[in-house]
Amino acid sequence: MRAALGAAVAVCAVTVALPGVASAEPSGARGASVERISVAADGTQADGGSTDASISHDGRRVIFSSSATNLTSDAASAGDKVYVRDQRTGQNQRMGDLSPIGPPVISGDGEYIGYAHQWITNVRIRQYQMSTGRTASLDCSAYTCDQASLNTDGRYTAHVLRSPRQPTFGQRIEVQDWNNGGANQNVATLAHTKPSKPSISGDGRYVAYQDGQTEDVLVWDRTGATTSGPIEGPDKAASLVQLSDDGGKVVYLSGSDTYVHDVRTGTAQLVPNVKGLAIDPTGRYLLYAPRDASGPSLTLRDLRTGTDEIISEKTASAGADAVSAGGRDVVFQSAADDIVPGDTNGKSDVFARHLY
């Protein structure tokens, strides 16, 4: 299948409170600029709403969903489509004419993208290689597969397998190896269909996932096929946000707080009264939404220094893989019309804040 595209963890929940906000300015200690991503190559505004943005590690490529029909020279059919914006060239590319079910995903190197879509009575994951335009579908056979996560070079795809005709099947979390004939390795089998949100590390060694029924977060290690967890300890109900690309940090939510679990030491940093949204590939920068509705909607925290940089003062949202390496770029979506000049389309748009 790859040819078709191309030719442990200690479990100890010790929390350490981070310092408070050190900077309330939008640019913090770094310079900053913001641009609208969901526009045509000539700057024409999108005629439909755009959302679900993710970014490659180097910040070059941004993937998002949009119902717009004018982002490329060939008009799209009705319904949401997946687009990739190349920040270096300013060009957009529509990734097929299928409608995504859930947010699209991009490999860390920006070479591969994937998204779940309806296929007859099932759901499949379609993958594309940017340099060749070749495509392949993750082989789900008669099953439904979704919730994809790609490793850095696109070799491994973590996904969830379900059976729409067998309600008692529950779900199986798997990792598909495209370099091994598309062979699947089982990560976990759960007797329910609540979202498990698998997130894979850059080298494909670790997969973090949640058990939505027991409200636990666990980490699977390919080395020995072992599972550790629940990482949040026995007394917390938790849900997964994301595993950092280096496999060293797991972000999870518990109550009104966010925790950043260190896989190597088993300890966790507490970021109180915020909702964690994404972590950069190095595990140093956390994107979060403050619970206080009177403040900014998106903030980026340097977990090493405890300093904060405001990403958006306006109402905005973001998902996993929204931060490039080193926290240099953050992509988000907002319906606000005063983030950049000339925003008059009255639609939700995708933006990127660049920090330097």
Side-chain angles (χ1 to χ4, degrees):
M1 296 296 291
R2 175 74 168 189
L5 283 167
V9 186
V11 184
C12 173
V14 178
T15 60
V16 180
L18 287 174
V21 175
S23 173
E25 296 299 321
S27 60
R30 298 185 280 181
S33 63
V34 63
E35 66 174 309
R36 187 161 41 157
I37 299 298
S38 52
V39 294
D42 63 0
T44 300
Q45 298 185 88
D47 59 9
S50 303
T51 187
D52 293 333
S54 295
I55 193 167
S56 60
H57 291 355
D58 63 2
R60 175 178 176 178
R61 287 177 172 145
V62 178
I63 189 171
F64 61 95
S65 300
S66 181
S67 62
T69 61
N70 64 338
L71 293 180
T72 55
S73 57
D74 55 331
S77 59
D80 286 349
K81 302 294 180 287
V82 174
Y83 294 87
V84 174
R85 175 83 169 185
D86 189 321
Q87 294 282 73
R88 186 177 301 170
T89 65
Q91 300 296 311
N92 298 325
Q93 184 174 350
R94 189 172 72 248
M95 310 311 296
D97 210 31
L98 299 169
S99 294
I101 299 175
V105 293
I106 188 168
S107 61
D109 61 8
E111 175 66 0
Y112 295 88
I113 70 101
Y115 60 90
H117 65 91
Q118 189 70 42
W119 181 258
I120 309 176
T121 59
N122 296 332
V123 174
R124 290 189 176 181
I125 296 172
R126 188 75 160 174
Q127 294 200 2
Y128 295 79
Q129 184 179 32
M130 295 300 300
S131 61
T132 66
R134 294 179 179 175
T135 66
S137 289
L138 192 146
D139 186 9
C140 305
S141 187
Y143 295 92
T144 280
C145 51
D146 56 14
Q147 299 183 52
S149 176
L150 303 180
N151 81 309
T152 297
D153 65 3
R155 171 178 176 175
Y156 298 103
T157 303
H159 62 275
V160 174
L161 196 72
R162 298 190 182 91
S163 174
R165 287 173 289 280
Q166 302 176 47
T168 58
F169 179 84
Q171 63 183 300
R172 193 162 66 233
I173 304 168
E174 299 179 334
V175 173
Q176 185 158 23
D177 183 349
W178 293 97
N179 283 8
N180 188 26
N184 287 309
Q185 188 170 4
N186 188 55
V187 173
T189 300
L190 304 175
H192 58 80
T193 57
K194 294 181 179 180
S196 51
K197 303 194 301 186
S199 181
I200 195 167
S201 64
D203 60 3
R205 174 176 175 178
Y206 296 107
V207 175
Y209 64 95
Q210 68 180 31
D211 185 325
Q213 186 162 284
T214 62
E215 298 184 298
D216 290 325
V217 174
L218 305 102
V219 179
W220 176 83
D221 185 347
R222 177 184 299 280
T223 306
T226 57
T227 301
S228 298
I231 64 172
E232 76 280 3
D235 301 323
K236 292 181 181 293
S239 60
L240 177 67
V241 174
Q242 188 179 2
L243 173 68
S244 63
D245 191 73
D246 67 358
K249 300 291 193 300
V250 183
V251 181
Y252 67 88
L253 308 178
S254 185
S256 61
D257 302 324
T258 294
Y259 293 84
V260 182
H261 174 85
D262 188 302
V263 171
R264 182 180 61 84
T265 66
T267 60
Q269 286 182 308
L270 166 66
V271 189
N273 201 36
V274 305
K275 181 182 180 181
L277 301 171
I279 194 165
D280 91 299
T282 70
R284 176 170 174 173
Y285 293 92
L286 173 72
L287 180 66
Y288 69 83
R291 299 286 185 183
D292 182 1
S294 64
S297 63
L298 294 176
T299 302
L300 187 71
R301 172 162 291 191
D302 185 332
L303 294 170
R304 187 177 301 170
T305 66
T307 55
D308 281 356
E309 295 179 279
I310 295 173
I311 300 302
S312 179
E313 296 272 13
K314 309 300 180 180
T315 301
S317 60
D321 297 315
V323 187
S324 69
R328 292 187 300 270
D329 311 274
V330 180
V331 290
F332 60 94
Q333 48 270 348
S334 176
D337 60 7
D338 54 355
I339 294 178
V340 296
D343 186 348
T344 58
N345 65 352
K347 307 292 184 181
S348 170
D349 283 305
V350 170
F351 300 87
R353 180 170 287 279
H354 308 296
L355 303 163
Y356 47 89

